Amino acid sequence: MVDGPRRIHVLGVGAIGGFVAHSLASLSHPPPITLLLPTQARVSDWYEHGQSIKLTTHGMLDTKFGFDVEKLSFPVGRSSLDVDDVPPSLPNPEAASVYHTPRSRPEVSRAPEEEVIHNLIVSVKAFNTVGALMQIAHRLRPESTVLFVQNGMGIIEEVNEQVFPDRAQRPQYMLGVISHGVYPRGPFSLVHSGAGTVALAIIPQSIEEVKPSFVPSALYLLRTFTRSPVLAAVGFTPTDLLQLQIEKLAVNAIINPLTALMDCLNGDLLHQPSMSRVMRLLLAEISLVIKSLPELQGVPNVKMRFDITRLEGQVIGIAAKTAANRSSMLQDIRRGKRTEIDYITGYLVRRGEEVGIQCVMNFMIKHMVKTKERMEREKHGHLLQLEPRNTG
């Protein structure tokens, strides 16, 4: 492939990844974009649905062509239990077949093992991140940039531990918080249901850096995102973005698990006195944990920003704005898929334990969701009994 330093790879072409790829392809002088697809079924969908990404906004359809596609070849014999979603955590150096689009379906060519990925956008489910990155870690360099735009928190810590344990070999990281409303209508067909923004920050390699230096690919990605009027991207400092990320996490920790457990629309959580009491009990723990996080100590207005009353107002506001929507966690439950509860509520419970706070209500909610998830996955046949249950 040509245009290596300009080329942007997208790992995870669901609602958010597809929306970002479509928006970047809409730019004047767009960058070359490669979509990394996990299965042959997804590649087949790509060809069967026009080798394009379709985005409907206010009833107007906009179709973008010109993407390249690589199929990541995951080995069989997975220990993972979700046959559709979870890639294995084993690297596969020959893990890509390249397809050039859009005009005609050419012969498949093998992507060279040494081909460097300069700019990578990661939008897979949180629990898939490590396994997916292991497939392409050999193609990432310290001069590369990886932008994470995902739900949940604690993902980068896992990536550092399992994919890039050597700090000197890590790529540059960026984080993104997306507030756009996007949902899938079909394979590579999306609906932009609500305009929002994209908050971006380049993460320093070390918190000790007084004046951190950033690799050119990170600045390139930041400039490219801010060129898009649709994305409405803005750059933030790492501390400011962290607070935005935690705010979103707090809202998700209420709306996602409660709608999944109650099997209801977001708006159904409102105007229910008993549900309001449950939300306040959960938020009391969440607020206390956030205000106790060591990385937020000394940051101005943290106690006011993450006060339980303000967080409750944000939850109510988002639930009202998305009243007719089904949360992503509810959709996963209904489809018998794995949820991201470990990276939302589970993250808050874990951080609470680190600062000496027992989040008993959130701990209970986490395990209620995991129980419902397991029951639904068994119904859908997505859960293989690899070992007998402990019934004691």
Side-chain angles (χ1 to χ4, degrees), residues 12 25 33 58 66-67 76 129 182 199 254 295 318 364 378-379 381:
I33 300 172
H58 302 305
F67 303 96
V76 295
T129 305
V182 187
I254 301 299
E295 59 265 39
I318 296 296
M364 179 185 70
E378 286 177 344
K379 288 180 186 176

Side-chain angles (χ1 to χ4, degrees), residues 72-254:
L72 300 180
S73 304
F74 300 124
V76 295
R78 306 175 180 180
S79 60
S80 164
L81 301 181
D82 193 326
V83 292
D84 291 329
D85 290 339
V86 184
S89 297
L90 296 173
N92 181 6
E94 300 179 349
S97 298
V98 182
Y99 303 79
H100 300 276
T101 58
R103 299 302 176 196
S104 61
R105 184 168 183 172
E107 294 297 318
V108 177
S109 59
R110 182 71 63 182
E113 178 182 339
E114 66 276 5
E115 183 182 349
V116 175
I117 293 177
H118 296 274
N119 313 285
L120 178 66
I121 299 170
V122 178
S123 56
V124 296
K125 291 283 191 179
F127 49 79
N128 284 342
T129 305
V130 167
L133 281 177
M134 289 290 278
Q135 304 297 314
I136 54 176
H138 60 286
R139 297 171 60 185
L140 293 164
R141 303 288 185 268
E143 307 83 44
S144 304
T145 294
V146 179
L147 168 58
F148 298 89
V149 283
Q150 301 164 285
N151 282 331
M153 294 183 68
I155 301 164
I156 286 183
E157 291 82 353
E158 287 189 358
V159 170
N160 284 342
E161 181 181 344
Q162 300 182 50
V163 185
F164 300 110
D166 183 356
R167 179 178 292 183
Q169 298 303 314
R170 285 176 194 163
Q172 177 78 64
Y173 295 149
M174 290 180 66
L175 281 174
V177 177
I178 296 183
S179 61
H180 290 273
V182 187
Y183 65 87
R185 174 175 283 173
F188 304 101
S189 178
L190 309 168
V191 175
H192 189 195
S193 57
T197 61
V198 180
L200 297 171
I202 305 174
I203 308 303
Q205 290 281 18
S206 171
I207 59 175
E208 289 82 18
E209 295 184 67
V210 178
K211 291 185 177 180
S213 59
F214 303 123
V215 299
S217 58
L219 300 175
Y220 167 71
L221 261 187
L222 183 60
R223 287 195 303 268
T224 303
F225 266 70
T226 54
R227 284 173 54 205
S228 169
V230 177
L231 292 177
V234 180
F236 286 82
T237 66
T239 300
D240 287 340
L241 189 98
L242 174 63
Q243 293 177 81
L244 291 172
Q245 197 178 18
I246 291 174
E247 280 183 342
K248 182 177 180 180
L249 184 78
V251 172
N252 283 343
I254 301 299

